[in-house]
Amino acid sequence: MSAKIFAVGAGKGGVGKTFISSSLAITLAKLHHSVLLVDFDLAGANVHTNLGMEPQKTSIQSFLNGEADLVNLSQPTSIPKLSMIQGVWQEWEQTPCRRGQGLQLVQEIRKLPFDFVVIDLGPGATATNLEIFSSADEKILVTNAEPTSVEKSYRFFEAWILKQVSENTTPDAYEKIKKAVQEFRAQKQQGLFSFRKYLNSTANVSFDHFDQMLSHPIRLVVNSCRSHQDQDLGYSVKSVCSKYFDLGIDYSGCVDYDNAVWHSIRNKEPFLIAKPFTKLSGQFLALAKHLSPSENHVIGIKAVI
């Protein structure tokens, strides 16, 4: 059986995406699964910092350049059953990707001998990020309560919709759709509104594949929650996506703000290893079980609590 792939993205940087990715990977490993954590940030990779490791000499760039196979880039960590592939951290500019390399990466990952692979994507809805996001078994989008983060999350949803639409229409129709999206942004819609119907009437294209997106929804995680209002943000985003984009998403959970996270990273020790009995540990356990329901977790819970 091939590995189950979790792709973790965000509309912008600084929302704690890498902390969510690494903590989810650690939790799955503590539940006795073999896990690979892939750092696919192609400019400012820092998964190694979250794991308390020094950067490796080789990175995912070697795979993108055709110089190494993924199996040779995988490195063990100090955490049992958890391995990682280093992201690009030493370059001044983002490593360029060719069209199709994201899909190629996912295909090669499925050949690796792991139960789960967590891919920590770079920030934003780049073409390669969306390729990986589209091909993953679980699509996780991380945000926090900052207005800029929420706004960029909605832009990510738009890009995700356009990605799906572009694969099911002609180039001319796709250009009409992009224009319709730009016009949609400029308008102040009042009352009940359907983004799907708006695109259909404006671009004159049928969007039956919206239903396909509902079968494997994006999983939303709200990070660094400081209040009940922050925790409820996920439900608000879910409602907006349903009412305006006709896009059903799953609010998978929230992670509280904890100043100890910053201290843990500064001390180069993974938070869930340094603080295994905190509320955050329970939240990641709940998230892992939500994303991968399995009877095997019943045994693993004893290793976490």
XYZ file of all heavy atoms in Angstrom, residues 89-187:
806
model
N 17.256 26.070 1.793
C 17.432 27.128 2.798
C 18.610 28.050 2.497
O 18.704 29.140 3.037
C 17.667 26.497 4.176
C 18.917 25.653 4.240
C 19.049 24.355 3.860
C 20.210 26.069 4.676
N 20.344 23.923 4.029
C 21.082 24.961 4.534
C 20.724 27.267 5.178
C 22.429 25.016 4.873
C 22.072 27.316 5.510
C 22.905 26.205 5.367
N 19.516 27.615 1.602
C 20.749 28.359 1.412
C 20.730 29.298 0.207
O 21.695 30.003 -0.041
C 21.945 27.386 1.283
C 21.999 26.617 -0.039
C 21.169 25.359 -0.037
O 20.145 25.292 0.623
N 21.609 24.354 -0.782
N 19.596 29.321 -0.549
C 19.529 30.148 -1.742
C 18.907 31.513 -1.437
O 18.068 31.645 -0.557
C 18.708 29.430 -2.821
C 19.281 28.085 -3.256
C 20.600 28.220 -3.977
O 20.882 29.315 -4.504
O 21.362 27.225 -4.025
N 19.309 32.512 -2.225
C 18.740 33.848 -2.058
C 17.375 33.960 -2.710
O 16.501 34.689 -2.248
C 19.685 34.890 -2.671
C 21.009 34.999 -1.975
C 22.209 34.528 -2.416
C 21.263 35.584 -0.702
N 23.191 34.789 -1.496
C 22.632 35.448 -0.431
C 20.457 36.219 0.239
C 23.229 35.916 0.728
C 21.050 36.690 1.410
C 22.412 36.535 1.636
N 17.185 33.230 -3.804
C 15.928 33.285 -4.533
C 15.289 31.907 -4.559
O 15.964 30.884 -4.390
C 16.163 33.771 -5.968
C 16.738 35.187 -6.057
C 16.963 35.624 -7.485
O 16.756 34.782 -8.398
O 17.328 36.787 -7.690
N 13.975 31.887 -4.780
C 13.258 30.616 -4.795
C 13.702 29.753 -5.956
O 13.855 30.224 -7.086
C 11.755 30.853 -4.879
C 10.936 29.561 -4.882
C 9.487 29.814 -4.550
O 9.165 30.423 -3.548
N 8.590 29.339 -5.404
N 13.909 28.471 -5.676
C 14.291 27.524 -6.710
C 13.169 27.384 -7.728
O 12.026 27.113 -7.353
C 14.597 26.147 -6.089
O 15.684 26.284 -5.180
C 14.955 25.133 -7.157
N 13.456 27.575 -9.015
C 12.382 27.472 -10.025
C 11.942 26.027 -10.226
O 12.736 25.095 -10.075
C 13.044 28.036 -11.289
C 14.510 27.792 -11.087
C 14.753 27.929 -9.616
N 10.672 25.856 -10.562
C 10.112 24.542 -10.849
C 9.489 24.544 -12.223
O 8.857 25.515 -12.630
C 9.057 24.160 -9.809
S 9.708 23.622 -8.232
N 9.650 23.445 -12.916
C 9.007 23.297 -14.223
C 7.590 22.759 -14.039
O 7.272 22.125 -13.030
C 9.808 22.337 -15.111
C 11.227 22.790 -15.411
C 11.872 21.857 -16.436
N 11.832 20.466 -15.997
C 12.741 19.920 -15.198
N 13.738 20.652 -14.718
N 12.644 18.653 -14.869
N 6.766 23.007 -15.002
C 5.402 22.490 -14.986
C 5.436 20.966 -14.900
O 6.171 20.308 -15.640
C 4.661 22.933 -16.248
C 3.213 22.473 -16.325
C 2.583 22.915 -17.632
N 1.218 22.453 -17.781
C 0.152 23.100 -17.324
N 0.314 24.262 -16.712
N -1.055 22.623 -17.482
N 4.684 20.412 -13.997
C 4.612 18.961 -13.849
C 5.526 18.383 -12.785
O 5.390 17.209 -12.428
N 6.463 19.189 -12.259
C 7.382 18.651 -11.256
C 6.694 18.357 -9.929
O 7.108 17.460 -9.196
C 8.563 19.598 -11.041
C 9.623 19.497 -12.120
C 10.917 20.185 -11.735
O 10.953 21.383 -11.504
N 11.993 19.408 -11.680
N 5.647 19.109 -9.619
C 4.902 18.818 -8.396
C 4.227 17.468 -8.480
O 4.264 16.674 -7.524
N 3.621 17.180 -9.624
C 2.985 15.882 -9.832
C 4.014 14.764 -9.823
O 3.780 13.687 -9.247
C 2.234 15.891 -11.161
C 1.500 14.598 -11.542
C 0.469 14.235 -10.492
C 0.845 14.749 -12.908
N 5.170 15.012 -10.418
C 6.243 14.021 -10.413
C 6.707 13.723 -8.985
O 6.945 12.561 -8.623
C 7.427 14.520 -11.244
C 8.604 13.556 -11.285
C 9.834 14.155 -11.952
O 9.831 15.340 -12.328
N 10.882 13.367 -12.071
N 6.798 14.764 -8.167
C 7.201 14.582 -6.780
C 6.228 13.661 -6.049
O 6.645 12.718 -5.351
C 7.268 15.931 -6.069
C 7.538 15.884 -4.557
C 8.980 15.508 -4.292
C 7.198 17.216 -3.904
N 4.939 13.906 -6.204
C 3.932 13.091 -5.524
C 4.009 11.642 -6.002
O 3.911 10.702 -5.198
C 2.527 13.672 -5.758
C 1.449 12.719 -5.232
C 2.398 15.026 -5.081
N 4.189 11.432 -7.302
C 4.284 10.079 -7.839
C 5.479 9.331 -7.256
O 5.375 8.137 -6.925
C 4.387 10.133 -9.370
C 3.112 10.609 -10.055
C 3.291 10.841 -11.530
O 4.408 11.013 -12.038
N 2.176 10.853 -12.271
N 6.605 10.014 -7.098
C 7.791 9.376 -6.531
C 7.622 9.124 -5.031
O 8.098 8.114 -4.502
C 9.024 10.242 -6.786
C 9.435 10.328 -8.245
C 9.743 8.960 -8.833
O 10.462 8.184 -8.178
O 9.246 8.667 -9.931
N 6.942 10.029 -4.347
C 6.706 9.860 -2.911
C 5.890 8.602 -2.645
O 6.134 7.882 -1.669
C 5.993 11.102 -2.341
C 6.993 12.245 -2.136
C 5.281 10.786 -1.022
C 6.366 13.535 -1.670
N 4.936 8.321 -3.507
C 4.073 7.150 -3.304
C 4.850 5.835 -3.379
O 4.348 4.789 -2.953
C 2.931 7.156 -4.313
C 1.956 8.315 -4.123
C 0.654 8.094 -4.852
N -0.236 9.252 -4.737
C -1.007 9.510 -3.696
N -1.001 8.673 -2.663
N -1.780 10.579 -3.669
N 6.045 5.862 -3.920
C 6.858 4.651 -4.018
C 7.700 4.411 -2.763
O 8.311 3.351 -2.622
C 7.790 4.754 -5.232
C 7.080 4.931 -6.561
C 8.080 5.121 -7.693
C 7.391 5.385 -9.022
N 8.382 5.623 -10.119
N 7.740 5.405 -1.858
C 8.594 5.305 -0.676
C 7.930 4.462 0.411
O 6.709 4.433 0.535
C 8.910 6.704 -0.145
C 9.634 7.641 -1.110
C 9.837 9.019 -0.471
C 10.979 7.048 -1.531
N 8.727 3.790 1.237
C 8.195 2.862 2.247
C 7.776 3.546 3.543
O 8.348 3.302 4.613
C 9.377 1.914 2.479
C 10.576 2.785 2.284
C 10.203 3.742 1.169
N 6.770 4.426 3.461
C 6.261 5.108 4.650
C 4.744 4.953 4.712
O 4.075 4.795 3.689
C 6.626 6.597 4.619
C 8.091 6.863 4.730
C 8.866 7.033 3.584
C 8.715 6.934 5.972
C 10.226 7.277 3.684
C 10.069 7.174 6.081
C 10.828 7.343 4.937
N 4.206 5.025 5.928
C 2.753 5.009 6.097
C 2.149 6.362 5.718
O 1.107 6.430 5.081
C 2.381 4.680 7.543
C 2.846 3.301 7.971
O 2.847 2.386 7.121
O 3.228 3.139 9.148
N 2.824 7.430 6.167
C 2.351 8.786 5.910
C 3.516 9.651 5.440
O 4.640 9.512 5.912
C 1.750 9.415 7.167
C 0.470 8.777 7.627
C 0.489 7.777 8.589
C -0.755 9.171 7.098
C -0.676 7.178 9.015
C -1.930 8.577 7.517
C -1.895 7.575 8.474
N 3.209 10.570 4.531
C 4.165 11.590 4.110
C 3.492 12.942 4.264
O 2.416 13.179 3.699
C 4.631 11.402 2.658
C 5.569 12.543 2.258
C 5.318 10.058 2.484
N 4.094 13.822 5.060
C 3.579 15.173 5.270
C 4.455 16.130 4.471
O 5.676 16.189 4.694
C 3.588 15.554 6.760
C 3.056 16.982 6.943
C 2.760 14.568 7.576
N 3.870 16.854 3.534
C 4.621 17.796 2.701
C 4.338 19.212 3.180
O 3.203 19.685 3.111
C 4.244 17.661 1.214
C 4.383 16.215 0.742
C 5.116 18.583 0.369
C 3.948 15.998 -0.704
N 5.357 19.874 3.672
C 5.245 21.260 4.112
C 5.531 22.156 2.907
O 6.694 22.375 2.536
C 6.246 21.524 5.242
C 6.157 22.947 5.758
O 5.050 23.373 6.117
O 7.203 23.636 5.801
N 4.468 22.663 2.288
C 4.617 23.497 1.099
C 5.133 24.883 1.466
O 4.951 25.350 2.590
C 3.274 23.636 0.380
C 2.634 22.345 -0.119
C 1.240 22.633 -0.666
C 3.498 21.689 -1.194
N 5.749 25.547 0.502
C 6.096 26.940 0.693
C 4.835 27.784 0.725
O 3.740 27.322 0.380
N 4.942 29.046 1.132
C 3.748 29.895 1.232
C 3.180 30.263 -0.131
O 3.903 30.356 -1.120
C 4.268 31.140 1.966
C 5.731 31.181 1.645
C 6.169 29.748 1.558
N 1.862 30.465 -0.167
C 1.222 30.965 -1.368
C 0.738 29.870 -2.298
O 1.088 28.689 -2.172
N -0.083 30.285 -3.256
C -0.693 29.354 -4.212
C 0.095 29.362 -5.518
O -0.436 29.718 -6.583
C -2.150 29.725 -4.457
N 1.362 28.973 -5.449
C 2.156 28.881 -6.670
C 1.673 27.700 -7.495
O 0.982 26.801 -6.999
C 3.650 28.705 -6.345
O 3.839 27.421 -5.720
C 4.145 29.792 -5.411
N 2.058 27.672 -8.758
C 1.608 26.607 -9.653
C 2.048 25.239 -9.141
O 1.269 24.273 -9.155
C 2.143 26.851 -11.063
N 3.293 25.137 -8.683
C 3.793 23.848 -8.196
C 3.125 23.464 -6.882
O 2.797 22.291 -6.664
C 5.317 23.900 -8.008
O 5.934 24.298 -9.237
C 5.862 22.536 -7.616
N 2.924 24.430 -5.989
C 2.210 24.134 -4.746
C 0.818 23.578 -5.031
O 0.372 22.620 -4.393
C 2.092 25.388 -3.884
C 3.381 25.724 -3.149
O 4.320 24.925 -3.131
N 3.421 26.896 -2.549
N 0.136 24.167 -6.005
C -1.212 23.707 -6.340
C -1.187 22.335 -6.996
O -2.115 21.536 -6.811
C -1.906 24.717 -7.248
C -2.310 26.036 -6.587
C -2.894 26.993 -7.620
C -3.313 25.813 -5.456
N -0.149 22.035 -7.756
C -0.009 20.688 -8.324
C 0.078 19.649 -7.218
O -0.604 18.611 -7.265
C 1.257 20.605 -9.188
C 1.130 21.147 -10.584
C 2.374 20.913 -11.411
O 3.369 20.377 -10.859
O 2.357 21.268 -12.596
N 0.910 19.921 -6.232
C 1.075 18.983 -5.119
C -0.198 18.907 -4.298
O -0.659 17.826 -3.921
C 2.270 19.407 -4.247
C 3.566 19.352 -5.056
C 2.383 18.529 -3.001
C 4.767 19.947 -4.340
N -0.772 20.064 -4.018
C -1.998 20.151 -3.235
C -3.111 19.326 -3.897
O -3.854 18.599 -3.230
C -2.408 21.619 -3.121
C -3.224 21.951 -1.909
C -2.645 21.991 -0.646
C -4.566 22.256 -2.030
C -3.394 22.310 0.469
C -5.334 22.591 -0.914
C -4.741 22.610 0.344
N -3.209 19.437 -5.223
C -4.256 18.729 -5.961
C -4.073 17.224 -5.894
O -5.057 16.473 -5.872
C -4.262 19.167 -7.428
O -4.535 20.543 -7.560
N -2.831 16.770 -5.868
C -2.537 15.343 -5.951
C -2.494 14.651 -4.596
O -2.462 13.417 -4.543
C -1.182 15.137 -6.654
O -1.181 15.747 -7.928
N -2.483 15.421 -3.515
C -2.372 14.839 -2.174
C -3.677 14.178 -1.753
O -4.760 14.535 -2.219
C -1.979 15.913 -1.170
N -3.571 13.223 -0.837
C -4.762 12.559 -0.304
C -5.529 13.486 0.629
O -6.760 13.450 0.669
C -4.351 11.293 0.454
C -3.647 10.303 -0.448
O -4.248 9.879 -1.441
O -2.472 9.961 -0.172
N -4.795 14.278 1.398
C -5.415 15.263 2.280
C -4.806 16.626 2.009
O -3.576 16.756 1.942
C -5.235 14.895 3.753
C -5.963 13.623 4.168
C -7.477 13.756 4.168
O -7.985 14.890 3.982
O -8.162 12.736 4.352
N -5.667 17.626 1.860
C -5.244 18.982 1.529
C -5.522 19.873 2.732
O -6.676 20.166 3.035
C -5.996 19.470 0.295
C -5.892 18.516 -0.898
C -6.980 18.767 -1.895
C -6.940 17.795 -3.055
N -7.004 16.376 -2.664
N -4.475 20.312 3.424
C -4.607 21.057 4.676
C -4.164 22.499 4.447
O -3.044 22.741 3.988
C -3.757 20.409 5.784
C -4.145 18.927 5.943
C -3.922 21.158 7.102
C -3.163 18.129 6.773
N -5.050 23.435 4.760
C -4.719 24.851 4.638
C -4.671 25.467 6.024
O -5.616 25.340 6.807
C -5.761 25.573 3.784
C -5.435 27.039 3.461
C -4.237 27.132 2.526
C -6.640 27.746 2.840
N -3.558 26.126 6.338
C -3.344 26.713 7.660
C -3.508 28.223 7.574
O -2.998 28.871 6.655
C -1.932 26.383 8.188
C -1.718 27.008 9.573
C -1.734 24.873 8.258
N -4.215 28.771 8.534
C -4.349 30.217 8.653
C -4.294 30.577 10.126
O -4.233 29.709 10.994
C -5.669 30.721 8.030
O -5.674 32.152 7.994
C -6.878 30.251 8.824
N -4.274 31.867 10.417
C -4.488 32.342 11.778
C -5.508 33.475 11.725
O -6.088 33.735 10.679
C -3.175 32.759 12.459
C -2.453 33.878 11.726
O -3.066 34.695 11.025
N -1.142 33.942 11.871
N -5.730 34.123 12.851
C -6.821 35.100 12.925
C -6.447 36.477 12.389
O -7.300 37.377 12.370
C -7.305 35.229 14.368
N -5.214 36.673 11.945
C -4.821 37.963 11.393
C -5.583 38.233 10.092
O -5.712 37.343 9.248
C -3.316 37.997 11.120
C -2.452 37.885 12.361
C -2.639 39.083 13.281
O -2.837 40.205 12.763
O -2.593 38.891 14.508
N -6.100 39.460 9.913
C -6.882 39.765 8.696
C -6.129 39.471 7.407
O -6.737 38.992 6.437
C -7.167 41.265 8.845
C -7.152 41.513 10.320
C -6.092 40.594 10.864
N -4.827 39.738 7.370
C -4.062 39.474 6.149
C -4.006 37.983 5.846
O -4.037 37.576 4.691
C -2.641 40.031 6.267
O -2.017 39.508 7.463
C -2.646 41.548 6.345
N -3.927 37.164 6.896
C -3.884 35.716 6.702
C -5.207 35.195 6.180
O -5.256 34.347 5.283
C -3.537 35.018 8.027
O -2.287 35.439 8.513
N -6.303 35.714 6.737
C -7.629 35.290 6.288
C -7.851 35.690 4.832
O -8.341 34.904 4.011
C -8.723 35.886 7.190
C -10.108 35.508 6.671
C -8.555 35.409 8.633
N -7.464 36.921 4.491
C -7.622 37.388 3.112
C -6.844 36.507 2.140
O -7.351 36.112 1.086
C -7.151 38.836 2.984
C -7.280 39.397 1.576
C -6.777 40.826 1.461
O -6.449 41.430 2.508
O -6.713 41.331 0.335
N -5.599 36.192 2.494
C -4.785 35.349 1.626
C -5.319 33.921 1.551
O -5.119 33.235 0.542
C -3.330 35.346 2.117
C -2.576 36.630 1.836
C -2.443 36.881 0.333
C -1.587 38.091 0.041
N -1.440 38.332 -1.423
N -5.996 33.475 2.599
C -6.617 32.150 2.546
C -7.720 32.122 1.506
O -7.850 31.147 0.743
C -7.180 31.772 3.921
O -6.144 31.594 4.866
N -8.524 33.195 1.439
C -9.569 33.262 0.416
C -8.968 33.314 -0.984
O -9.504 32.727 -1.932
C -10.478 34.477 0.652
C -11.375 34.332 1.845
C -11.467 35.341 2.793
C -12.148 33.185 2.033
C -12.297 35.218 3.911
C -12.973 33.040 3.133
C -13.045 34.068 4.070
O -13.866 33.933 5.157
N -7.836 33.999 -1.142
C -7.163 34.012 -2.437
C -6.668 32.609 -2.791
O -6.658 32.218 -3.965
C -5.984 34.996 -2.411
C -6.323 36.444 -2.184
C -7.077 37.096 -3.329
N -8.491 36.781 -3.336
C -9.395 37.363 -2.555
N -9.026 38.315 -1.716
N -10.665 37.032 -2.625
N -6.246 31.860 -1.783
C -5.803 30.480 -2.014
C -6.986 29.646 -2.491
O -6.857 28.845 -3.426
C -5.219 29.883 -0.740
C -4.470 28.582 -0.946
C -3.089 28.562 -0.994
C -5.148 27.378 -1.098
C -2.398 27.365 -1.183
C -4.481 26.189 -1.296
C -3.095 26.186 -1.332
N -8.144 29.822 -1.864
C -9.339 29.088 -2.293
C -9.673 29.411 -3.743
O -10.006 28.516 -4.538
C -10.531 29.433 -1.397
C -10.450 28.868 -0.008
C -10.651 29.689 1.090
C -10.173 27.530 0.199
C -10.576 29.174 2.378
C -10.098 27.006 1.487
C -10.302 27.832 2.577
N -9.595 30.698 -4.108
C -9.852 31.090 -5.494
C -8.882 30.397 -6.448
O -9.277 29.880 -7.496
C -9.724 32.603 -5.644
C -10.906 33.390 -5.149
C -10.758 34.873 -5.438
O -9.703 35.288 -5.952
O -11.705 35.612 -5.143
N -7.600 30.423 -6.077
C -6.582 29.797 -6.929
C -6.831 28.301 -7.051
O -6.630 27.706 -8.125
C -5.189 30.062 -6.355
N -7.267 27.695 -5.955
C -7.561 26.264 -5.956
C -8.731 25.967 -6.901
O -8.673 25.022 -7.694
C -7.888 25.816 -4.542
C -8.545 24.470 -4.414
C -9.801 24.211 -3.956
C -7.979 23.198 -4.746
N -10.057 22.856 -3.984
C -8.949 22.215 -4.467
C -6.756 22.803 -5.260
C -8.734 20.864 -4.671
C -6.539 21.441 -5.471
C -7.519 20.505 -5.174
N -9.776 26.782 -6.842
C -10.920 26.601 -7.735
C -10.492 26.758 -9.195
O -10.835 25.945 -10.059
C -12.038 27.602 -7.396
C -12.649 27.273 -6.027
C -13.130 27.592 -8.475
C -13.617 28.327 -5.510
N -9.714 27.813 -9.473
C -9.260 28.051 -10.849
C -8.370 26.918 -11.350
O -8.396 26.568 -12.542
C -8.524 29.379 -10.934
C -9.397 30.631 -10.808
C -8.534 31.887 -10.825
C -10.431 30.686 -11.921
N -7.572 26.350 -10.452
C -6.726 25.210 -10.815
C -7.589 24.048 -11.289
O -7.296 23.419 -12.315
C -5.885 24.797 -9.606
C -5.223 23.425 -9.709
C -4.122 23.390 -10.736
C -3.416 22.048 -10.695
N -2.408 21.911 -11.785
N -8.650 23.754 -10.546
C -9.536 22.655 -10.934
C -10.269 22.965 -12.233
O -10.421 22.096 -13.102
C -10.548 22.384 -9.812
C -9.941 22.143 -8.446
C -8.811 21.137 -8.473
O -8.978 20.000 -8.887
N -7.633 21.569 -8.037
N -10.708 24.218 -12.362
C -11.439 24.615 -13.563
C -10.544 24.546 -14.794
O -10.962 24.096 -15.865
C -12.013 26.032 -13.389
C -12.555 26.562 -14.713
C -13.114 26.035 -12.332
N -9.290 24.973 -14.654
C -8.383 25.025 -15.801
C -8.132 23.647 -16.393
O -7.812 23.516 -17.578
C -7.053 25.664 -15.389
O -6.335 24.822 -14.493
N -8.266 22.611 -15.555
C -8.020 21.248 -16.026
C -9.242 20.661 -16.737
O -9.174 19.545 -17.253
C -7.632 20.355 -14.841
C -6.320 20.771 -14.185
C -6.018 19.978 -12.923
O -6.914 19.232 -12.463
O -4.900 20.099 -12.403
N -10.337 21.411 -16.749
C -11.578 20.890 -17.320
C -12.202 21.848 -18.336
O -13.415 21.805 -18.556
C -12.590 20.620 -16.209
C -12.162 19.510 -15.276
O -12.417 18.354 -15.536
N -11.483 19.873 -14.188
N -11.378 22.690 -18.943
C -11.928 23.651 -19.899
C -10.860 24.035 -20.915
O -9.697 23.650 -20.802
C -12.439 24.903 -19.165
O -13.179 25.706 -20.070
C -11.286 25.725 -18.598
N -11.256 24.812 -21.923
C -10.329 25.254 -22.959
C -9.578 26.503 -22.499
O -10.041 27.214 -21.595
C -11.089 25.584 -24.251
O -11.955 26.704 -24.010
C -11.914 24.392 -24.707
N -8.435 26.807 -23.114
C -7.690 28.017 -22.729
C -8.509 29.295 -22.873
O -8.420 30.181 -22.019
C -6.495 28.005 -23.698
C -6.292 26.564 -24.027
C -7.669 25.967 -24.062
N -9.314 29.407 -23.935
C -10.136 30.608 -24.115
C -11.168 30.746 -23.004
O -11.388 31.840 -22.465
C -10.841 30.562 -25.476
C -9.882 30.771 -26.636
O -8.765 31.277 -26.386
O -10.242 30.423 -27.777
N -11.808 29.635 -22.665
C -12.804 29.664 -21.596
C -12.146 29.987 -20.257
O -12.716 30.714 -19.438
C -13.540 28.331 -21.513
N -10.941 29.477 -20.065
C -10.228 29.740 -18.812
C -9.908 31.224 -18.671
O -9.995 31.789 -17.573
C -8.953 28.907 -18.746
C -8.165 29.097 -17.472
C -8.728 28.810 -16.237
C -6.856 29.589 -17.507
C -8.016 28.979 -15.060
C -6.132 29.762 -16.344
C -6.719 29.457 -15.125
O -6.008 29.645 -13.966
N -9.540 31.882 -19.768
C -9.269 33.315 -19.718
C -10.525 34.088 -19.347
O -10.468 35.072 -18.595
C -8.719 33.798 -21.061
C -7.299 33.322 -21.365
C -6.308 33.767 -20.303
O -6.388 34.944 -19.872
O -5.480 32.938 -19.894
N -11.686 33.652 -19.841
C -12.947 34.285 -19.468
C -13.221 34.097 -17.972
O -13.729 34.992 -17.296
C -14.095 33.698 -20.287
C -14.058 34.041 -21.770
C -15.254 33.426 -22.482
C -15.243 33.744 -23.971
N -16.397 33.126 -24.661
N -12.894 32.915 -17.487
C -13.118 32.623 -16.065
C -12.241 33.511 -15.191
O -12.693 34.054 -14.179
C -12.849 31.131 -15.789
C -13.901 30.273 -16.492
C -12.857 30.851 -14.288
C -13.558 28.811 -16.534
N -10.975 33.662 -15.556
C -10.081 34.525 -14.780
C -10.587 35.960 -14.754
O -10.530 36.634 -13.714
C -8.651 34.470 -15.350
C -7.917 33.190 -15.067
C -6.411 33.340 -15.201
C -6.012 33.762 -16.587
N -4.531 33.843 -16.728
N -11.093 36.423 -15.894
C -11.650 37.773 -15.951
C -12.872 37.885 -15.055
O -13.071 38.893 -14.359
C -12.005 38.131 -17.391
C -12.542 39.552 -17.557
C -12.858 39.862 -19.017
C -13.414 41.273 -19.160
N -13.746 41.588 -20.578
N -13.678 36.835 -15.028
C -14.872 36.833 -14.177
C -14.482 36.898 -12.704
O -15.134 37.578 -11.909
C -15.710 35.590 -14.457
N -13.410 36.201 -12.341
C -12.941 36.223 -10.955
C -12.472 37.626 -10.571
O -12.770 38.124 -9.480
C -11.812 35.200 -10.742
C -11.187 35.363 -9.369
C -12.345 33.787 -10.904
N -11.735 38.274 -11.474
C -11.263 39.631 -11.199
C -12.438 40.598 -11.040
O -12.417 41.475 -10.165
C -10.331 40.076 -12.331
C -9.022 39.299 -12.380
C -8.238 39.546 -13.665
O -8.742 40.179 -14.598
N -7.014 39.032 -13.711
N -13.470 40.444 -11.867
C -14.657 41.293 -11.748
C -15.395 40.997 -10.451
O -15.929 41.898 -9.803
C -15.567 41.070 -12.950
C -14.977 41.565 -14.267
C -15.840 41.205 -15.456
O -16.780 40.397 -15.272
O -15.567 41.709 -16.566
N -15.416 39.740 -10.069
C -16.071 39.332 -8.827
C -15.429 40.019 -7.628
O -16.109 40.498 -6.723
C -15.989 37.815 -8.688
C -16.278 37.305 -7.312
C -17.572 37.271 -6.818
C -15.249 36.837 -6.502
C -17.840 36.788 -5.551
C -15.511 36.354 -5.233
C -16.803 36.329 -4.758
N -14.091 40.089 -7.615
C -13.386 40.722 -6.507
C -13.755 42.201 -6.378
O -13.812 42.742 -5.274
C -11.875 40.608 -6.713
C -11.309 39.214 -6.557
C -9.820 39.262 -6.783
N -9.209 37.940 -6.737
C -7.937 37.703 -7.066
N -7.185 38.708 -7.462
N -7.447 36.493 -6.988
N -13.974 42.845 -7.537
C -14.206 44.290 -7.527
C -15.616 44.664 -7.117
O -15.885 45.831 -6.818
C -13.913 44.865 -8.921
N -16.509 43.690 -7.068
C -17.901 43.989 -6.753
C -18.194 43.788 -5.276
O -17.548 43.006 -4.601
C -18.832 43.090 -7.577
C -18.731 43.337 -9.081
C -19.694 42.462 -9.853
O -20.700 42.023 -9.321
N -19.387 42.216 -11.115
